[in-house]
């Protein structure tokens, strides 16, 4: 009714596909989501940021 459509897809990564994606990134044709990395000790802070919507992209907890 509002002209919005949604779909999902799934695929298995391969060296060829990842190379093609990297080429898009290098050419500026694909915008990469921001990644925020936290040490494991700051896991609670990372979760809080996710819960309150203060993060765009991915959150990574570094364990080593």
């Amino acid at each position: 009714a509002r002209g919005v459509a949604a779909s999902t897809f799934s695929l298995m990564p391969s060296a060829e596909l990842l190379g093609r994606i990297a080429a898009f990134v290098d050419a500026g044709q694909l915008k990469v989501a921001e990644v925020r990395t936290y040490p494991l000790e700051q896991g609670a802070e990372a979760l809080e940021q996710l819960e309150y919507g203060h993060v765009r992209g991915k959150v990574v907890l570094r364990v080593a």
Side-chain angles (χ1 to χ4, degrees):
R2 296 181 185 238
V4 176
S7 64
T8 62
F9 69 94
S10 179
L11 54 99
M12 297 296 295
S14 67
E16 177 189 352
L17 179 59
L18 293 175
R20 290 173 55 194
I21 292 170
F24 285 125
V25 172
D26 291 343
Q29 296 174 326
L30 181 65
K31 185 175 181 180
V32 179
E34 178 181 336
V35 176
R36 295 189 71 181
T37 303
Y38 296 86
L40 185 59
E41 296 80 20
Q42 293 179 355
E45 178 184 337
L47 181 59
E48 184 178 295
Q49 295 295 312
L50 283 169
E51 287 178 341
Y52 292 105
H54 297 296
V55 175
R56 290 187 69 191
K58 304 294 181 184
V59 171
V60 176
L61 289 180
R62 188 175 50 249
V63 296

